Structure formats: structure tokens, C-alpha cells
Amino acid sequence: VLLQGSEAHHLAGVRRAHLGDHVLLFNGDGREYTARIVELSRRDVTLEITDVREPAREVGTRLVVAAPLPKGERAHFLLEKLTELGATEYVPLRSERSVIDPRAGRLDRLQKYVIEASKQCGRNTLMKVKAPADWNMYCRSAAVPPRRYVAHPRKPSASAQPAVPVEAAGDISIAVGPEGGFTEAEIASGLAAGWRPVSLGPRVLRIETAAIVLAAWAAGVSPCEP
Ligand code: SAM
């Protein structure tokens, strides 16, 4: 394998790898490749693959998270955490009250955050950053997985039931609204398209907190003894 550009620079210049060192490579295909460095310069690194593995680190279903892009560093944080939690797709959501409309260059940067986070957490399949979508169209799209949950901070009634347990399995969609919240009309469109509103408690959460809580729930994260 020949590494060039930023990955070669990172390995040779930043990490100061040496000839003969072993590293783990991944290319987003779900596998990880143990490789030994056989040639090294500041611009290029040549590696020989010595082992291939396919560790099970994916959630096993589509887990699509649609949320408006939060401002500044919080966008990086959101992408990093969704990658760690196993979301398979992130859709930057536009809605009536959303503020940030990501351009193409920004989307490339978001995908770079996914790659960085994947390296760090050992994920070998990349979460896809999709094109921005308008809630009113997105919520009724047939391409959106049919188990649909929209975070809506309304006080639950005394008879509120827990949302369907995730063991019910199958591809799942999660949506979170903008800082100013979804409008009542947007929530009504969602309900008509089969989205179930879910409350996450009595406090108002930031976009990224709500997205992380729901993604962890959908990914079936629950502490267990190792
Ligand atoms: N005042 C806004 C409202 O009433 O919707 C608050 C918006 S909150 C900062 C951003 C988004 O996070 C909301 O649109 C909702 O999707 C989600 N959210 C925040 N807190 C929540 C909660 N306690 N329960 C459910 N969803 C919540």
C-alpha cells in the first residue's frame, strides 16, 4: 500500500514512524489491515500488509441521525460522538428555525472529522455524511428507515410509556430539531409521516446532547460487565 498526502505526512512527520514499524490501516470497507512500513520518506510511505481482520464493531443496522449542524466546534463534537456510537449516516437537517446551512467544503470537513474519530475508536466502516435535507421533504422520504423517532421536548403526560425497546430491531431513524425547536407544523408533518415523538427528560438539551442520547439508545449501548 502506498500512502501519500496527509496520511503519509501524519505517519512519517507527525507520528515519526520508522522503517519496520507495524501500523493498522483501514479504508472504510469494514476490515483492518496490519501493515509493516517498508519504505519511508516525508511524502510517501510504502507498507506491506501482513494480516487482515474484520472485527465486529458495527451496530448491525442502519442508524440514521438527522440533526441541524450545531455552531462552531460543537459540529466537530457531534460528528465525533455519532461516529463513536456507531451511527451509519448523518444528515445535516434544515428546518424553519435552523441557522447553519453547510456548504460543500464544510461537508468535506465533516467527513474528515468522521475519519479522525474512526481512527481513534477503531471503527473500520465510515459513517456517511449525507447532503443537507429539508425536514418537510426528508421526514416523508421513503429512503428514511421506517422506525422513526423525533426528539421533542414536550412534557410527557402522567401516562407516558417508554419508547419501543430497541430490541425490536431493524433500521432506525432519529431526528433532532434546531436550537429554536421544530415548529408545531413541522412536528405535525413528522407525525403524519410515521415519526414517534420522544421526550428525553425535563431539561432542554443542546442539539448534540439530544442526538448523542438517542444514538446511544438506538445503538443499544448499555453498560455491561466486560
Ligand atoms: N425551545 C426549543 C424547543 O422547545 O424545541 C428547544 C430546542 S433544543 C435546544 C434542540 C432540539 O433538541 C429540540 O428541537 C429537540 O429535538 C431536542 N431536545 C432538546 N431537549 C429535549 C428533551 N428534553 N426531550 C426531547 N428532545 C429534546
Side-chain angles (χ1 to χ4, degrees):
V1 172
L2 177 62
L3 282 190
Q4 294 179 303
S6 60
E7 292 300 340
H9 170 73
H10 186 244
L11 192 54
V14 181
R15 303 296 300 267
R16 299 188 181 280
H18 296 102
L19 272 184
D21 284 356
H22 281 85
V23 296
L24 267 187
L25 301 176
F26 78 108
N27 62 8
D29 69 358
R31 304 189 186 106
E32 61 188 25
Y33 302 83
T34 309
R36 189 169 54 90
I37 300 178
V38 292
E39 275 180 46
L40 190 78
S41 74
R42 289 191 78 77
R43 291 169 158 262
D44 302 336
V45 182
T46 308
L47 304 109
E48 184 180 60
I49 293 178
T50 56
D51 190 26
V52 184
R53 279 185 305 266
E54 196 162 347
R57 297 196 187 125
E58 292 303 303
V59 169
T61 54
R62 272 179 80 198
L63 197 182
V64 183
V65 180
L69 202 58
K71 289 187 196 153
E73 269 304 291
R74 290 167 46 213
H76 186 172
F77 181 79
L78 172 65
L79 271 282
E80 182 179 275
K81 300 310 157 203
L82 292 182
T83 303
E84 290 175 16
L85 289 167
T88 57
E89 289 151 66
Y90 165 66
V91 181
L93 203 58
R94 284 188 297 234
S95 63
E96 201 173 311
R97 298 184 187 141
S98 57
V99 195
I100 305 216
D101 192 0
R103 301 193 189 153
R106 188 91 205 273
L107 292 180
D108 286 349
R109 187 139 19 109
L110 298 184
Q111 194 67 65
K112 281 195 187 133
Y113 297 156
V114 173
I115 294 172
E116 279 171 23
S118 300
K119 281 185 189 174
Q120 179 273 322
C121 73
R123 192 164 173 199
N124 298 314
T125 303
L126 295 182
M127 178 177 81
K128 292 191 191 79
V129 176
K130 308 292 279 187
D134 293 316
W135 171 250
N136 281 328
M137 298 289 286
Y138 176 80
C139 75
R140 61 192 88 192
S141 162
V144 174
R147 295 175 59 223
R148 303 170 168 184
Y149 298 91
V150 56
H152 191 42
R154 189 170 294 150
K155 217 171 111 199
S157 62
S159 59
Q161 296 296 310
V164 178
V166 268
E167 296 82 67
D171 296 344
I172 188 161
S173 304
I174 284 165
V176 173
E179 292 302 347
F182 283 118
T183 63
E184 284 307 318
E186 285 172 330
I187 288 292
S189 306
L191 299 191
W195 291 77
R196 291 180 61 146
V198 283
S199 168
L200 302 172
R203 289 167 297 281
V204 176
L205 310 178
R206 295 273 209 175
I207 296 168
E208 60 276 25
T209 318
I212 290 167
V213 171
L214 272 182
W217 169 71
V221 174
S222 78
C224 59
E225 286 190 11

